Amino acid sequence: MNWSKLNTLFPSRADQPLLWLLRLCALTAATVVLLILTFLVIESRPALRDVGIARFFGDRSWHPTEGEYNFMPMLSGTVYCSLGALLLAVPSGIAAALFSRWYAPASVAGLFRRLIELLAGIPSVVYGLWGLTTLAPLIGRLHAPGTSLLAGILILALMILPTIALTADAALAAVPQAYLRGAAALGLSRWGMISGVALPATRSGIATGILLAAARAMGETMAVLMVCGNVVQYPDSLFDPVRTLTANIALEMAYAMGDHRAALFVSGLALMLLMLAMVGAAGLLSRGRRYA
Amino acid sequence: MPEATAHSIAPLGITRDRLATFVIWSAALLVTGLFLWLISDILLGGITRLSWAFLTEPPFDAGRSGGIGPIIVSTGLILLVAIAASVPPALGTAILLAEFSRRESLFGRSVRLSLDVLAGVPSIVFGLFGNAFFCIYLGLGFSILSGGLTLACMVLPILIRTAEEGLRSAPDDYRLAAAALGLSRSAALMHLLLPTAMPALIAGLMLGIGRAMAETAALIFTSGYVDRMPDSLWDSGRALSVHIYDLTMNVAGGDANARAAALVLVVLLLLVNGAAMTLADRWRNARIVTA
């Protein structure tokens, strides 16, 4: 129900001051996004004007003190880290959701879900600390220096796994019972029911979760900053250190001046626009999710 | 499940089914094992250093020894600023969305869209914005105020969404009864709907606090690094998460104290999230008015 249909019942002159106050609140909340975009654009304008977009891709490398502003190595770091993490986290996250819904005994399933929720709440700086002090030395024993693309991928995978598992779990929970009974009546095996009925029925829900997880992976700063080694380069192997766009901002904001600072804002603006596209796509996907 | 029939009809299918069971169980065990490893590492790594003195003393020697007293105070102040700045507009927006506008109205949709966008902004971008807007444009400098206000922008979407859901799930009977009694909507809100939704509002607030407390990247360039006891809100103050980051990355030999600080942070977060969940559960089960 909503009140606006009852307007005839309410002369409600008494409500007018409240309504204006509420509108003011909503306006404030809604302008925050515009404010952020405006300030990112204002701050990055010097770099867009003086350096130009082409040079962000065409310069020899990233040497901001010498006026070289190539973002590509960092962009490749971001893309490799996120893709690698998704490659690991998507199958295991979906498997975790299937486990808690159809494979685990009831008591275990509840505990397992609590565990995943717990992990979703651990702050990224703690993941980073663990990655740097426990995981990176282990990788370093395999191949120096340890802080590497691989460490970043593993930590990110661990961080986005709960997002994927929880959204997939929620999507699987919404599959109508009739579908599952139909599958059982047809004599499908458990896996037959999952692969033939449950997963196809939840495709868009799971895809939404994956998009959100991808957005989280690309926007993540602290964990990758702490475990990736932060060398500006195109990685040749999984054991090479890399620097991501987000880590680059965190590392250089402290002393960046002039065009350098503006260039960092450009990368922030690019990240935000990328995230907008992904969140928008996730929104469109979840809008189509309906069971007749 | 009908395994026996499946076996007699399709032996291949049953092998595939067993294989799937095996793969899913091992994935779940792997995930559980990894997470137990992570959690036990945090717990065991930090617990030896933990003491009352650690929680109250100031850090010495760049944090290698000493405690985290001033850092806890700064964290608390940053959170207070964030809550004080975000709760009023969030509550107002939620009330407007839930009670005074239709779900599909243009206004409601555009506000909701802008909040979805806000929820997707990466935290380091909040840091850039906070630095440019609060620290430099508004002239607040590196201060607890700048950090808190930046976090306030960040938690707005969580607060609004949970509050809106809470208000929407108050029974319509209450609204009809209030209308029948001739209450103004403001009065109905004050005396009926807000109290009904209160547990949901508080649960949402707890989630917001949890998110703000876990945040690091947005704070490095807004509230700063200074680890002294802050004198006022205009002082720079180091948040707990920033302290962990700094000890791990920039201070050689700071690992032990970083682990102890991480344990404190995780325990605080668990308490906050636990409170949020308990409240949300209670609110789902509660019925204010009995027949």
Side-chain angles (χ1 to χ4, degrees), chain A residues 17-33:
Chain A
L18 177 74
L19 204 51
W20 282 109
L21 189 71
L22 296 182
R23 285 198 186 120
L24 191 71
C25 289
L27 205 65
T28 318
T31 27
V32 170
V33 172

Side-chain angles (χ1 to χ4, degrees), chain B residues 134-155:
Chain B
F134 295 119
C135 298
I136 295 173
Y137 185 74
L138 293 187
L140 297 174
F142 282 74
S143 65
I144 288 174
L145 214 50
S146 302
L149 290 174
T150 308
L151 288 188
C153 299
M154 202 164 130
V155 298

Side-chain angles (χ1 to χ4, degrees), chain B residues 68-85:
Chain B
I68 52 171
I71 285 141
I72 290 186
V73 173
S74 301
T75 312
L77 288 176
I78 293 172
L79 288 178
L80 270 182
V81 172
I83 294 164

Side-chain angles (χ1 to χ4, degrees), chain B residues 68-215:
Chain B
I68 52 171
I71 285 141
I72 290 186
V73 173
S74 301
T75 312
L77 288 176
I78 293 172
L79 288 178
L80 270 182
V81 172
I83 294 164
S86 62
V87 164
L91 195 59
T93 311
I95 294 175
L96 190 67
L97 285 175
E99 303 292 330
F100 290 95
S101 64
R102 273 173 291 131
R103 217 184 249 274
E104 318 79 35
S105 70
L106 182 68
F107 175 77
R109 264 188 316 178
S110 40
V111 171
R112 225 169 270 125
L113 178 75
S114 80
L115 291 175
D116 281 348
V117 170
L118 195 61
V121 175
S123 54
I124 187 80
V125 174
F126 275 107
L128 284 177
F129 161 74
N131 182 274
F133 184 63
F134 295 119
C135 298
I136 295 173
Y137 185 74
L138 293 187
L140 297 174
F142 282 74
S143 65
I144 288 174
L145 214 50
S146 302
L149 290 174
T150 308
L151 288 188
C153 299
M154 202 164 130
V155 298
L156 262 183
I158 306 180
L159 294 185
I160 294 176
R161 192 147 329 141
T162 48
E164 190 193 341
E165 285 309 311
L167 282 168
R168 274 194 197 284
S169 41
D172 281 344
D173 291 351
Y174 291 11
R175 297 186 180 88
L176 289 174
L181 289 172
L183 290 184
S184 71
R185 287 195 224 172
S186 327
L189 263 172
M190 277 303 164
H191 299 293
L192 209 51
L193 298 171
L194 282 180
T196 312
M198 193 49 83
L201 301 184
I202 296 180
L205 181 64
M206 289 290 164
L207 285 181
I209 294 178
R211 169 97 200 264
M213 200 152 49
E215 187 45 49

